[in-house]
Coordinates of all heavy atoms in Angstrom, one line a residue:
P808 N -6.0 -11.3 -5.5 CA -5.2 -11.2 -6.7 C -4.1 -12.3 -6.7 O -3.4 -12.4 -5.7 CB -4.6 -9.8 -6.6 CG -4.7 -9.4 -5.2 CD -5.9 -10.1 -4.7
L811 N 0.2 -10.6 -10.4 CA 0.6 -9.2 -10.2 C 1.6 -8.6 -11.1 O 1.9 -7.4 -11.1 CB 1.0 -9.0 -8.7 CG 0.0 -9.3 -7.6 CD1 0.6 -9.3 -6.3 CD2 -1.2 -8.4 -7.7
W817 N 4.5 -4.7 -13.7 CA 3.7 -4.9 -12.5 C 2.4 -4.2 -12.7 O 2.3 -3.2 -13.3 CB 4.4 -4.4 -11.3 CG 5.5 -5.3 -10.8 CD1 6.8 -5.4 -11.3 CD2 5.4 -6.2 -9.7 NE1 7.5 -6.3 -10.6 CE2 6.7 -6.9 -9.6 CE3 4.4 -6.6 -8.9 CZ2 7.0 -7.8 -8.7 CZ3 4.7 -7.6 -7.9 CH2 5.9 -8.2 -7.8
V818 N 1.3 -4.7 -12.1 CA 0.1 -4.0 -12.0 C 0.4 -2.7 -11.1 O 1.3 -2.7 -10.3 CB -1.0 -4.8 -11.3 CG1 -1.4 -6.0 -12.1 CG2 -0.6 -5.2 -9.9
H819 N -0.4 -1.7 -11.4 CA -0.2 -0.5 -10.6 C -0.8 -0.6 -9.2 O -0.3 0.1 -8.3 CB -0.9 0.7 -11.3 CG -0.7 2.0 -10.6 ND1 0.5 2.7 -10.6 CD2 -1.5 2.8 -9.9 CE1 0.4 3.8 -9.9 NE2 -0.8 3.9 -9.5
H820 N -1.8 -1.4 -9.0 CA -2.4 -1.6 -7.7 C -2.8 -3.1 -7.6 O -3.2 -3.7 -8.6 CB -3.7 -0.8 -7.7 CG -4.3 -0.7 -6.3 ND1 -4.8 -1.7 -5.6 CD2 -4.4 0.4 -5.4 CE1 -5.3 -1.3 -4.4 NE2 -5.0 0.0 -4.3
P821 N -2.6 -3.7 -6.5 CA -2.9 -5.2 -6.4 C -4.3 -5.5 -6.7 O -4.6 -6.7 -7.1 CB -2.5 -5.5 -4.9 CG -2.4 -4.2 -4.2 CD -2.0 -3.2 -5.2
F822 N -5.3 -4.6 -6.5 CA -6.7 -4.8 -6.8 C -6.9 -5.1 -8.3 O -8.0 -5.5 -8.7 CB -7.6 -3.7 -6.4 CG -7.7 -3.5 -4.9 CD1 -8.4 -2.5 -4.4 CD2 -7.1 -4.5 -4.0 CE1 -8.6 -2.4 -3.0 CE2 -7.3 -4.3 -2.7 CZ -8.0 -3.3 -2.1
D823 N -5.9 -4.8 -9.2 CA -6.0 -5.1 -10.6 C -5.5 -6.5 -11.0 O -5.5 -6.9 -12.1 CB -5.1 -4.1 -11.4 CG -5.8 -2.7 -11.6 OD1 -7.0 -2.7 -11.4 OD2 -5.1 -1.7 -11.8
G824 N -5.0 -7.3 -10.0 CA -4.5 -8.6 -10.2 C -5.6 -9.6 -10.5 O -6.7 -9.6 -9.9
D825 N -5.3 -10.6 -11.4 CA -6.3 -11.7 -11.7 C -6.6 -12.5 -10.5 O -5.7 -12.8 -9.7 CB -5.8 -12.6 -12.8 CG -5.7 -11.9 -14.1 OD1 -6.7 -11.8 -14.8 OD2 -4.5 -11.4 -14.5
Y861 N -5.0 -5.4 -21.2 CA -6.2 -4.7 -20.7 C -5.7 -3.7 -19.7 O -4.8 -3.9 -18.9 CB -7.2 -5.6 -20.1 CG -8.0 -6.5 -21.0 CD1 -7.5 -7.7 -21.3 CD2 -9.2 -6.0 -21.6 CE1 -8.2 -8.6 -22.2 CE2 -9.8 -6.9 -22.5 CZ -9.3 -8.1 -22.8 OH -10.0 -8.9 -23.7
R862 N -6.4 -2.5 -19.7 CA -6.2 -1.5 -18.6 C -6.9 -2.0 -17.3 O -7.8 -2.7 -17.4 CB -6.7 -0.2 -19.0 CG -6.1 0.4 -20.3 CD -6.9 1.7 -20.7 NE -6.6 2.8 -19.7 CZ -7.3 3.9 -19.7 NH1 -8.2 4.2 -20.7 NH2 -7.0 4.8 -18.8
G863 N -6.3 -1.6 -16.2 CA -6.9 -1.9 -14.9 C -7.7 -0.8 -14.3 O -7.4 0.4 -14.5
V864 N -8.7 -1.1 -13.6 CA -9.6 -0.1 -13.0 C -8.8 0.8 -12.0 O -9.0 2.0 -11.9 CB -10.8 -0.8 -12.2 CG1 -11.5 0.3 -11.4 CG2 -11.7 -1.4 -13.2
F865 N -7.8 0.2 -11.3 CA -7.0 0.9 -10.3 C -5.7 1.5 -10.8 O -4.8 1.8 -10.1 CB -6.8 0.0 -9.1 CG -8.0 -0.2 -8.3 CD1 -8.9 -1.2 -8.6 CD2 -8.4 0.7 -7.2 CE1 -10.1 -1.4 -7.9 CE2 -9.5 0.5 -6.5 CZ -10.4 -0.5 -6.8
G866 N -5.6 1.6 -12.2 CA -4.4 2.4 -12.7 C -3.5 1.6 -13.5 O -2.5 2.2 -14.1
T867 N -3.6 0.3 -13.7 CA -2.7 -0.5 -14.5 C -2.9 -0.1 -16.0 O -4.0 -0.1 -16.4 CB -2.9 -2.0 -14.3 OG1 -2.7 -2.3 -13.0 CG2 -1.9 -2.8 -15.2
Q868 N -1.8 0.2 -16.7 CA -1.9 0.7 -18.1 C -1.2 -0.4 -19.0 O -0.4 -1.1 -18.6 CB -1.2 2.0 -18.3 CG -1.8 3.2 -17.4 CD -3.0 3.7 -18.0 OE1 -4.1 3.1 -18.0 NE2 -3.0 5.0 -18.4
K869 N -1.7 -0.4 -20.2 CA -1.0 -1.2 -21.2 C 0.3 -0.5 -21.6 O 0.5 0.7 -21.4 CB -1.8 -1.3 -22.5 CG -3.2 -1.9 -22.3 CD -4.0 -2.1 -23.6 CE -4.2 -0.7 -24.2 NZ -5.0 -0.8 -25.5
K881 N -12.2 -0.6 -22.5 CA -12.6 -2.0 -22.2 C -12.0 -2.5 -20.9 O -10.9 -2.1 -20.5 CB -12.1 -3.0 -23.3 CG -12.6 -2.7 -24.7 CD -12.2 -3.8 -25.6 CE -10.7 -3.9 -25.8 NZ -10.2 -2.7 -26.5
F882 N -12.8 -3.2 -20.1 CA -12.3 -3.7 -18.8 C -12.1 -5.3 -18.9 O -12.9 -5.9 -19.6 CB -13.3 -3.4 -17.7 CG -13.3 -2.0 -17.2 CD1 -14.4 -1.3 -17.2 CD2 -12.1 -1.5 -16.7 CE1 -14.4 0.0 -16.7 CE2 -12.0 -0.2 -16.3 CZ -13.2 0.6 -16.3
K883 N -11.2 -5.8 -18.1 CA -11.1 -7.2 -17.9 C -11.8 -7.6 -16.6 O -11.5 -7.0 -15.6 CB -9.6 -7.6 -17.9 CG -9.3 -9.0 -17.6 CD -7.8 -9.3 -17.5 CE -7.1 -8.5 -16.5 NZ -5.7 -9.0 -16.3
I885 N -11.8 -9.4 -13.6 CA -10.7 -10.1 -13.0 C -11.1 -11.0 -11.9 O -10.3 -11.8 -11.3 CB -9.7 -9.0 -12.4 CG1 -10.4 -7.9 -11.6 CG2 -8.8 -8.5 -13.5 CD1 -9.5 -6.9 -11.1
N887 N -11.7 -11.2 -8.7 CA -10.7 -11.4 -7.7 C -11.1 -10.9 -6.3 O -10.2 -10.9 -5.4 CB -9.4 -10.6 -8.1 CG -9.6 -9.0 -8.0 OD1 -10.7 -8.6 -7.7 ND2 -8.6 -8.3 -8.2
T888 N -12.4 -10.7 -6.0 CA -12.7 -10.0 -4.8 C -13.3 -10.9 -3.7 O -13.0 -10.8 -2.6 CB -13.7 -8.8 -5.1 OG1 -13.1 -8.0 -6.1 CG2 -13.9 -7.9 -3.9
W901 N -16.5 -10.2 -8.8 CA -15.9 -8.9 -9.1 C -17.0 -7.9 -9.4 O -17.8 -8.1 -10.3 CB -14.9 -8.9 -10.2 CG -14.1 -7.7 -10.4 CD1 -13.3 -7.1 -9.5 CD2 -14.1 -6.9 -11.6 NE1 -12.7 -5.9 -10.1 CE2 -13.2 -5.8 -11.4 CE3 -14.7 -7.0 -12.9 CZ2 -12.9 -4.8 -12.4 CZ3 -14.5 -6.0 -13.8 CH2 -13.6 -5.0 -13.6
E902 N -17.2 -6.9 -8.6 CA -18.5 -6.1 -8.6 C -18.8 -5.4 -9.9 O -19.9 -5.0 -10.1 CB -18.4 -5.1 -7.4 CG -17.4 -4.0 -7.6 CD -17.1 -3.3 -6.3 OE1 -17.1 -3.9 -5.2 OE2 -16.9 -2.1 -6.3
A903 N -17.8 -5.1 -10.7 CA -18.1 -4.3 -11.9 C -18.6 -5.2 -13.1 O -18.8 -4.6 -14.2 CB -16.8 -3.6 -12.4
A934 N -19.8 -7.9 -5.2 CA -18.8 -8.8 -4.6 C -19.0 -8.9 -3.1 O -18.1 -9.5 -2.4 CB -17.4 -8.3 -4.9
F990 N -21.1 5.1 -5.7 CA -20.0 4.1 -5.5 C -20.4 3.2 -4.3 O -20.3 3.7 -3.2 CB -18.7 4.9 -5.3 CG -17.5 3.9 -5.0 CD1 -16.8 3.5 -6.1 CD2 -17.2 3.5 -3.8 CE1 -15.7 2.6 -5.9 CE2 -16.1 2.7 -3.6 CZ -15.3 2.2 -4.6
H992 N -19.6 -0.3 -2.8 CA -18.8 -1.5 -2.7 C -19.5 -2.6 -1.8 O -19.4 -3.8 -2.1 CB -17.4 -1.2 -2.2 CG -16.5 -2.4 -2.0 ND1 -16.1 -3.1 -3.1 CD2 -16.0 -3.0 -0.9 CE1 -15.3 -4.1 -2.6 NE2 -15.3 -4.0 -1.3
F1010 N -17.1 11.5 -9.8 CA -16.3 10.8 -10.7 C -16.2 11.6 -12.0 O -17.1 12.0 -12.7 CB -17.1 9.5 -11.1 CG -16.5 8.6 -12.1 CD1 -15.2 8.1 -12.0 CD2 -17.1 8.4 -13.3 CE1 -14.6 7.3 -12.9 CE2 -16.5 7.6 -14.3 CZ -15.3 7.1 -14.1
F1015 N -9.5 9.1 -17.4 CA -9.6 7.7 -17.7 C -9.7 7.6 -19.3 O -9.0 6.8 -19.9 CB -10.7 7.0 -17.0 CG -11.0 5.6 -17.6 CD1 -10.1 4.6 -17.5 CD2 -12.2 5.4 -18.2 CE1 -10.3 3.3 -18.0 CE2 -12.5 4.1 -18.7 CZ -11.6 3.1 -18.6
Q1019 N -4.9 8.6 -19.0 CA -4.0 9.1 -18.0 C -4.1 8.4 -16.7 O -3.1 8.3 -15.9 CB -4.2 10.6 -17.8 CG -4.0 11.4 -19.1 CD -4.5 12.9 -19.0 OE1 -5.6 13.1 -18.4 NE2 -3.7 13.8 -19.5
R1020 N -5.3 7.9 -16.4 CA -5.6 7.3 -15.1 C -6.5 6.1 -15.2 O -7.2 6.0 -16.2 CB -6.2 8.3 -14.1 CG -5.3 9.4 -13.6 CD -6.1 10.5 -12.8 NE -5.3 11.5 -12.3 CZ -4.8 11.5 -11.0 NH1 -5.2 10.5 -10.2 NH2 -4.0 12.5 -10.6
G1021 N -6.5 5.3 -14.2 CA -7.5 4.2 -14.1 C -8.8 4.8 -13.7 O -8.9 5.9 -13.1
A1022 N -9.9 4.1 -13.9 CA -11.2 4.6 -13.5 C -11.4 4.9 -12.0 O -11.9 6.0 -11.7 CB -12.3 3.6 -13.9
A1023 N -10.8 4.0 -11.2 CA -10.9 4.3 -9.7 C -10.1 5.5 -9.3 O -10.4 6.1 -8.3 CB -10.5 3.1 -9.0
Q1024 N -9.0 5.8 -10.1 CA -8.2 7.0 -9.8 C -8.9 8.3 -10.1 O -8.5 9.4 -9.8 CB -6.9 6.9 -10.5 CG -6.0 5.8 -10.0 CD -4.8 5.6 -10.8 OE1 -4.8 5.7 -12.1 NE2 -3.6 5.5 -10.2
C1025 N -10.1 8.2 -10.8 CA -10.9 9.4 -11.2 C -12.0 9.7 -10.1 O -12.8 10.6 -10.3 CB -11.5 9.2 -12.5 SG -10.3 9.0 -13.9
L1026 N -12.0 8.9 -9.0 CA -12.9 9.1 -7.9 C -12.3 10.1 -7.0 O -11.1 10.0 -6.7 CB -13.3 7.8 -7.2 CG -14.0 6.7 -8.0 CD1 -14.1 5.5 -7.2 CD2 -15.4 7.2 -8.3
F1060 N -15.6 8.2 4.3 CA -15.7 7.3 3.2 C -15.8 5.9 3.8 O -15.0 5.5 4.7 CB -14.5 7.4 2.3 CG -14.6 6.5 1.1 CD1 -15.3 6.9 0.0 CD2 -14.1 5.2 1.2 CE1 -15.4 6.0 -1.1 CE2 -14.2 4.4 0.1 CZ -14.8 4.8 -1.1
F1062 N -15.8 1.7 2.8 CA -15.7 0.6 1.9 C -16.6 -0.5 2.4 O -17.4 -1.1 1.7 CB -14.3 0.0 1.8 CG -13.4 0.7 0.8 CD1 -12.3 1.3 1.3 CD2 -13.7 0.7 -0.5 CE1 -11.4 2.0 0.4 CE2 -12.9 1.4 -1.4 CZ -11.7 2.0 -1.0
H1063 N -16.5 -0.8 3.7 CA -17.1 -2.0 4.3 C -17.9 -1.7 5.5 O -17.5 -1.0 6.4 CB -16.0 -3.0 4.7 CG -15.2 -3.6 3.6 ND1 -13.8 -3.5 3.5 CD2 -15.6 -4.1 2.4 CE1 -13.4 -4.0 2.4 NE2 -14.4 -4.4 1.7
F1084 N -11.3 9.1 0.6 CA -11.1 7.9 -0.3 C -9.6 7.6 -0.5 O -8.9 8.5 -1.0 CB -11.8 8.2 -1.6 CG -11.5 7.1 -2.7 CD1 -12.1 5.9 -2.5 CD2 -10.8 7.4 -3.8 CE1 -11.9 4.9 -3.5 CE2 -10.6 6.4 -4.8 CZ -11.1 5.2 -4.6
P1085 N -9.2 6.5 -0.1 CA -7.7 6.1 -0.3 C -7.5 5.6 -1.7 O -8.1 4.7 -2.1 CB -7.5 5.0 0.8 CG -8.8 4.4 1.0 CD -9.9 5.4 0.7
S1086 N -6.5 6.2 -2.3 CA -6.1 5.8 -3.7 C -4.6 5.9 -3.9 O -4.0 6.8 -3.4 CB -6.9 6.7 -4.7 OG -6.5 6.4 -6.0
V1087 N -4.1 4.9 -4.7 CA -2.7 4.9 -5.0 C -2.5 5.8 -6.3 O -3.1 5.4 -7.3 CB -2.1 3.5 -5.2 CG1 -0.7 3.5 -5.7 CG2 -2.3 2.7 -4.0
G1088 N -1.8 6.9 -6.2 CA -1.7 7.8 -7.3 C -0.9 7.3 -8.4 O -0.2 6.3 -8.3
P1089 N -1.0 7.9 -9.6 CA -0.3 7.4 -10.8 C 1.2 7.3 -10.7 O 1.8 6.4 -11.3 CB -0.7 8.4 -11.9 CG -1.9 9.1 -11.4 CD -1.8 9.1 -9.9
D1090 N 1.8 8.1 -9.8 CA 3.3 8.1 -9.7 C 3.8 7.3 -8.5 O 4.9 7.4 -8.1 CB 3.8 9.5 -9.6 CG 3.5 10.3 -10.9 OD1 3.5 9.7 -12.0 OD2 3.2 11.5 -10.8
E1091 N 2.9 6.6 -7.8 CA 3.2 5.9 -6.6 C 3.4 4.4 -6.9 O 2.8 3.8 -7.8 CB 2.2 6.1 -5.5 CG 2.0 7.5 -5.0 CD 0.9 7.7 -4.0 OE1 -0.2 7.8 -4.4 OE2 1.3 7.7 -2.8
N1092 N 4.3 3.7 -6.1 CA 4.5 2.3 -6.1 C 3.8 1.7 -5.0 O 4.2 1.9 -3.8 CB 6.0 2.0 -6.1 CG 6.3 0.6 -6.2 OD1 5.5 -0.3 -6.1 ND2 7.6 0.3 -6.4
F1093 N 2.8 0.8 -5.2 CA 2.0 0.2 -4.1 C 2.9 -0.6 -3.2 O 2.5 -0.9 -2.0 CB 0.9 -0.6 -4.7 CG 1.2 -1.9 -5.3 CD1 1.3 -3.1 -4.5 CD2 1.4 -2.0 -6.6 CE1 1.6 -4.3 -5.1 CE2 1.7 -3.2 -7.2 CZ 1.8 -4.4 -6.4
Y1101 N -1.8 7.9 4.1 CA -3.1 7.3 3.8 C -4.0 7.3 5.0 O -3.5 7.1 6.1 CB -2.9 5.9 3.3 CG -2.3 5.8 1.9 CD1 -1.0 5.9 1.7 CD2 -3.2 5.7 0.8 CE1 -0.4 5.9 0.4 CE2 -2.6 5.7 -0.5 CZ -1.2 5.8 -0.7 OH -0.7 5.7 -1.9
L1240 N -8.3 -10.7 -0.3 CA -9.5 -9.9 -0.1 C -10.5 -10.7 0.8 O -10.3 -10.9 2.0 CB -10.1 -9.4 -1.4 CG -9.2 -8.4 -2.1 CD1 -9.6 -8.1 -3.5 CD2 -9.1 -7.1 -1.3

Side-chain angles (χ1 to χ4, degrees):
L811 300 171
W817 284 80
V818 295
H819 182 73
H820 193 294
F822 290 176
D823 282 340
D825 292 278
Y861 289 91
R862 300 174 67 189
V864 171
F865 287 86
T867 303
Q868 301 281 66
K869 301 183 298 182
K881 298 188 300 293
F882 282 126
K883 175 178 60 171
I885 47 181
N887 72 355
T888 309
W901 186 62
E902 65 196 38
F990 178 88
H992 176 68
F1010 177 62
F1015 169 63
Q1019 300 167 318
R1020 290 175 176 260
Q1024 294 174 315
C1025 298
L1026 296 171
F1060 182 87
F1062 278 118
H1063 296 126
F1084 173 68
S1086 176
V1087 177
D1090 299 323
E1091 295 179 280
N1092 180 348
F1093 73 87
Y1101 288 81
L1240 294 169

